[in-house]
Amino acid sequence: MEDKKVMLEVNDLQTTFFTDSGDIPAVDHVSFHVHDGEVLGIVGESGCGKSVTSLSIMGLVPNPPGKVVGGDIHFEDKNLLDLSEREMRKVRGNDIAMIFQEPMTSLNPLFTIGHQMMEAVLIHHKKKGKQYAKDRCIEMLELVELPRAKDLMDEYPHQLSGGMRQRVMIAMALICDPKVLIADEPTTALDVTTQSQILKLIKELNDRLNTALLLITHDLGVVAKTCERVIVMYSGQVIEEAPVDKLFDSPKHPYTQGLIQSVPDVRKKQDRLYSIEGNVPLPGSIHKGCRFADRCKFAFDRCFNENPEFYQTSDVQKARCFLYDKEGAVEHDKALTRS
Amino acid sequence: MLSYTLKRIFQLIPVLLGMTFIVSMLIRAIPGNPAQVILGQQATAEAVQALTEKLGLDKPWYIQYIDYLKGILTGDLGESFRTHAPVVEEIWPYLAATVELAVFAMIIAIFIGINAGIVSAWFQNSWFDYIAMVLALVGVSMPIFWLGLLGQWGFALELNWLPTTGRESVRDPVNAITNFYIIDTIIQGEWGQLKEVIRHLILPGLSLATIPMAIIARMTRSSMLEVMRSDYIRTAKAKGQKMFFVIYKHALKNAFIPVLTIIGLQLGLLLGGAILTETIFAWPGIGRYIYDAIGFRDYPVIQSGILVVAFIFVMINLIVDLLYSFIDPRIKYD
Ligand SMILES: Nc1ncnc2c1ncn2[C@@H]1O[C@H](COP(=O)(O)OP(=O)(O)O)[C@@H](O)[C@H]1O
Ligand SMILES: [Mg+2]
């Protein structure tokens, strides 16, 4: 698996919102990569910067107030951040496509499904003509298992259910054969049954089309079912990176450990759900030290004064925590004996 | 859709009926006997009495009103006391003059207003946005007559670029066919006259357009700003669509719905505003026609003139309502 080609590589990405109440570093030195055909999960609580990360890749951060202020995003020997708006438009929807959380509002209510899907084709393949675009739309609608594909072309979004609309969004995102698909909480707004159907579909399509998939979610259940590798975000930073089995079996960062304990496990009998005390600090509200320090039961002096590096804990796993620094291990043991 | 339209037209009948009733009451409140006004102060009492009977003004008011309604049902809007010509025939040139002016003004208002609103929203907080919105604020609060006089003084008297009054050059009058002079000069190939007609339209057209233009610009801007935050706009951008199409196609169609309401209302108000503008620019329109008729106590002209204006007003509203369902597939009228 490791010899696969890296499709997208994000290095040290920094995206800041310049607001009246101060600068918010919503994405703070975030680095990760995704391989060809791989499913990379990005997990984290709401507000930790997942959506801003994906919008930064697409070049769609609302500006003002937001701006990518540092880092690079490598895709096919290009740094996307160096591209002009015009060059970036050729990447959007064509090389890198995106689906969003809200299927109910993500389609334009005043245009037919067919019109909106054909637009997605024609923007990038104008020369192939309308008939090609139309055939391609019907093919894609059938691929996402929507019945009556031909009739759907003439229908408006309000005539479809949420699940159907999300299928349309998926079909539309994949219509130009993108190399990377970013799915930002694609099932969060759907009911449980529809959720698992859509997730299954996304997974199948990823296997079949071999698209690299960046699956953003706050739901560890989704991660367990779908992803191969995971990065965990906390308050604008990546705090852990691990293959999915390692993440669940031996989470390294205390935050990840807490997260995993807070997932109800049907195999174990539990009296009470574990939950991490305290709240996620807003990006920008902390200037010094580890962002999780306030909520961390292992925190020691250094955690409040220095920002930890991203330590390699094994050849496939990394954690942003001083426990994995050499001296940290000692402190860890001290903390464990204290508690 | 068709049944809805018919239903709406059917509902207009009581509205228009009520209106004719109110107007017929109001004109009788204008002091002065029409026969006396027509014959002048020197006329003998017998002559005045004879004319009063001839005009049917001696009958009780409700008989007069019912006679008038009967006429309307057969398409007869009455006969002018003054010229003795049927109002149906006489009114058309005036109506056409007003409609031409109002449509001209509305096209300017819609075109400039919508584009200014879009650009202001697109480049929110830019200098363009600030200037456009200050101008719009000035525009809505500017009285038409003041603006009209200012235009006449500046562009006509001082600069001598544009004519002050009228619809056409007095030395080279248009040969009326439809009475829409732009159309008439085009079908006759009279390009020199067409140029004159347009030159005459500019000042009254602009002063009439100012208020609706400003209101449309402000409405478009706020509506666009709201729509631009929508998820489907982000979707359109994520497809790789050009900003121009994202704005003029995806956003504008959605933002246009509330703007359409405003356009309908303003078009109605424009007909009212036209009366003032017509006075300042000596525009031979329906406003002038009714205004002059009031001076002569020309009851049929006043009554039918107002009826025609009201009819146009309600028809505009109906058309706007039907346009909603045309733009927005979620609106279904059946
Ligand atoms: N338009 C914006 N203006 C100001 N701050 C923003 C804006 N969008 C996002 N942020 C900031 O970025 C942070 C991360 O947001 P987001 O990426 O949407 O979180 P999530 O992980 O839930 O997708 C938020 O906590 C917020 O402070
Ligand atoms: Mg989000």
Side-chain angles (χ1 to χ4, degrees):
Chain A
M1 194 192 99
E2 282 306 310
D3 54 325
K4 270 194 181 168
K5 191 172 140 214
V6 170
M7 275 319 301
L8 181 75
E9 185 175 0
V10 173
N11 285 315
D12 245 355
L13 181 70
Q14 288 165 267
T15 304
T16 302
F17 287 94
F18 299 93
T19 65
D20 294 338
S21 48
D23 299 352
I24 304 168
V27 174
D28 193 2
H29 298 279
V30 162
S31 303
F32 61 87
H33 61 273
V34 56
H35 296 280
D36 198 7
E38 184 189 30
V39 187
L40 175 73
I42 303 184
V43 257
E45 287 166 272
S46 144
C48 70
K50 305 181 298 291
S51 296
V52 177
T53 303
S54 54
L55 291 175
S56 303
I57 297 170
M58 295 295 283
L60 292 177
V61 176
N63 176 17
K67 198 172 184 323
V68 176
V69 291
D72 45 54
I73 300 170
H74 284 287
F75 174 79
E76 294 189 324
D77 341 308
K78 292 175 287 208
N79 176 6
L80 296 185
L81 298 179
D82 289 341
L83 299 188
S84 65
E85 173 57 25
R86 193 196 173 125
E87 290 165 319
M88 197 58 211
R89 275 205 308 266
K90 293 206 184 103
V91 174
R92 279 183 212 130
N94 194 24
D95 293 323
I96 307 180
M98 187 159 176
I99 49 183
F100 302 96
Q101 176 169 344
E102 283 297 336
M104 300 312 273
T105 51
S106 289
L107 289 163
N108 194 323
L110 305 187
F111 293 96
T112 59
I113 302 297
H115 183 102
Q116 298 187 58
M117 289 186 70
M118 280 172 70
E119 182 185 28
V121 184
L122 292 171
I123 288 169
H124 301 289
H125 304 281
K126 203 170 176 105
K127 289 201 195 80
K128 292 192 183 167
K130 283 200 169 159
Q131 191 54 47
Y132 166 82
K134 197 166 179 185
D135 295 343
R136 181 85 185 124
C137 292
I138 294 173
E139 186 187 335
M140 288 310 292
L141 287 173
E142 280 164 358
L143 187 70
V144 296
E145 296 159 17
L146 279 166
R148 308 183 294 112
K150 279 208 183 67
D151 302 339
L152 274 183
M153 294 286 283
D154 296 322
E155 282 174 23
Y156 287 92
H158 73 274
Q159 295 167 283
L160 276 62
S161 70
M164 288 170 85
R165 289 190 218 183
Q166 198 61 305
R167 282 175 197 266
V168 169
M169 286 298 290
I170 294 169
M172 193 158 81
L174 293 174
I175 207 161
C176 291
D177 272 325
K179 303 196 176 73
V180 179
L181 175 66
I182 304 175
D184 188 356
E185 313 232 15
T187 58
T188 307
L190 302 171
D191 65 76
V192 186
T193 336
T194 320
Q195 253 182 34
S196 58
Q197 287 168 353
I198 295 284
L199 216 55
K200 199 167 135 250
L201 175 74
I202 291 178
K203 181 81 181 135
E204 272 169 23
L205 290 176
N206 160 258
D207 286 344
R208 181 132 71 146
L209 307 173
N210 217 28
T211 315
L213 174 62
L214 224 64
L215 183 69
I216 296 174
T217 177
H218 64 265
D219 183 346
L220 282 170
V222 170
V223 171
K225 271 186 251 169
T226 325
C227 302
E228 294 162 37
R229 216 153 44 80
V230 188
I231 60 171
V232 182
M233 286 188 71
Y234 186 82
S235 186
Q237 293 182 322
V238 178
I239 53 107
E240 178 147 8
E241 178 184 330
V244 70
D245 48 338
K246 291 277 189 310
L247 188 88
F248 286 95
D249 293 344
S250 63
K252 292 292 186 259
H253 197 285
Y255 172 67
T256 321
Q257 292 167 357
L259 264 191
I260 284 168
Q261 282 183 52
S262 65
V263 177
D265 189 334
V266 283
R267 286 166 301 184
K268 286 187 215 145
K269 222 172 151 233
Q270 281 165 315
D271 293 341
R272 198 171 61 86
L273 269 181
Y274 177 87
S275 69
I276 311 170
E277 269 171 44
N279 289 308
V280 190
L282 280 179
S285 60
I286 285 192
H287 303 286
K288 221 167 66 166
C290 170
R291 283 153 194 229
F292 188 60
D294 281 338
R295 299 168 77 188
C296 180
K297 58 182 174 190
F298 304 119
F300 48 93
D301 290 348
R302 194 180 176 191
C303 301
F304 294 98
N305 296 314
E306 276 177 62
N307 189 10
E309 287 172 43
F310 207 19
Y311 297 101
Q312 197 91 40
T313 65
S314 75
D315 55 344
V316 289
Q317 200 164 0
K318 284 174 166 184
R320 192 179 289 281
C321 177
F322 284 125
L323 296 178
Y324 305 97
D325 191 19
K326 281 171 205 79
E327 57 171 301
V330 184
E331 293 284 345
H332 184 200
D333 294 339
K334 274 197 230 159
L336 281 182
T337 45
R338 265 203 310 271
S339 62
Chain B
M1 186 73 180
L2 185 68
S3 70
Y4 173 80
T5 313
L6 291 176
K7 203 171 99 195
R8 281 288 305 267
I9 290 176
F10 195 70
Q11 283 169 351
L12 292 182
I13 295 171
V15 173
L16 292 173
L17 206 64
M19 208 227 47
T20 55
F21 182 76
I22 292 170
V23 172
S24 75
M25 290 291 101
L26 281 179
I27 48 177
R28 280 167 180 82
I30 309 172
N33 177 352
Q36 184 79 61
V37 176
I38 292 166
L39 294 174
Q41 290 306 318
Q42 272 78 36
T44 59
E46 291 78 45
V48 171
Q49 181 60 31
L51 188 57
T52 304
E53 274 166 34
K54 191 168 160 253
L55 295 176
L57 292 170
D58 55 334
K59 293 184 207 160
W61 65 268
Y62 53 87
I63 301 285
Q64 291 181 40
Y65 178 64
I66 289 168
D67 285 347
Y68 177 66
L69 284 187
K70 277 189 201 149
I72 290 176
L73 288 180
T74 57
D76 175 11
L77 294 179
E79 232 172 53
S80 166
F81 286 170
R82 188 158 54 113
T83 62
H84 306 293
V87 177
V88 191
E89 286 166 24
E90 210 179 50
I91 202 170
W92 177 249
Y94 297 102
L95 187 61
T98 295
V99 169
E100 188 167 65
L101 178 60
V103 168
F104 181 81
M106 211 54 200
I107 289 172
I108 295 175
I110 292 173
F111 183 79
I112 300 181
I114 287 187
N115 281 291
I118 288 173
V119 177
S120 284
W122 188 349
F123 303 104
Q124 192 193 359
N125 300 330
S126 65
W127 61 265
F128 179 92
D129 183 21
Y130 290 133
I131 293 176
M133 287 308 117
V134 168
L135 286 179
L137 195 66
V138 173
V140 279
S141 31
M142 185 76 88
I144 296 185
F145 76 89
W146 169 243
L147 203 72
L149 293 176
L150 212 63
Q152 279 179 330
W153 171 76
F155 292 101
L157 298 179
E158 289 294 319
L159 295 169
N160 211 11
W161 288 350
L162 295 167
T164 41
T165 52
R167 285 183 86 180
E168 62 197 321
S169 167
V170 197
R171 267 162 286 152
D172 187 13
V174 175
N175 182 18
I177 299 171
T178 63
N179 280 295
F180 296 114
Y181 281 3
I182 289 190
I183 296 175
D184 290 347
T185 51
I186 289 174
I187 54 182
Q188 295 175 72
E190 292 279 6
W191 309 119
Q193 287 181 354
L194 176 65
K195 188 180 151 216
E196 277 306 308
V197 168
I198 292 174
R199 270 166 47 86
H200 280 81
L201 271 167
I202 291 175
L203 277 184
L206 280 180
S207 38
L208 203 54
T210 304
I211 291 175
M213 190 193 310
I215 293 175
I216 290 169
R218 279 151 48 112
M219 192 67 203
T220 306
R221 178 180 182 271
S222 66
S223 181
M224 282 295 283
L225 282 176
E226 184 160 338
V227 167
M228 289 301 288
R229 282 196 292 269
S230 312
D231 290 345
Y232 53 80
I233 295 300
R234 190 183 51 190
T235 305
K237 290 183 196 163
K239 283 182 198 172
Q241 185 57 284
K242 289 194 179 79
M243 206 52 194
F244 181 83
F245 292 110
V246 171
I247 286 178
Y248 275 86
K249 178 178 162 188
H250 287 275
L252 181 57
K253 196 168 181 192
N254 282 276
F256 188 65
I257 296 169
V259 176
L260 180 62
T261 314
I262 295 290
I263 290 176
L265 285 173
Q266 288 301 316
L267 199 54
L269 291 177
L270 212 76
L271 289 173
I275 295 183
L276 206 61
T277 317
E278 284 167 8
T279 314
I280 300 166
F281 291 95
W283 194 263
I286 188 115
R288 279 275 306 282
Y289 183 53
I290 297 171
Y291 181 82
D292 292 346
I294 294 171
F296 286 98
R297 310 291 183 274
D298 197 344
Y299 293 170
V301 171
I302 303 171
Q303 242 172 337
S304 299
I306 294 176
L307 179 65
V308 167
V309 173
F311 179 75
I312 295 175
F313 190 90
V314 291
M315 286 314 282
I316 291 171
N317 278 317
L318 176 60
I319 291 168
V320 165
D321 280 354
L322 295 177
L323 278 178
Y324 287 134
S325 72
F326 189 70
I327 296 174
D328 192 339
R330 290 165 297 184
I331 298 176
K332 280 278 166 285
Y333 287 129
D334 280 317

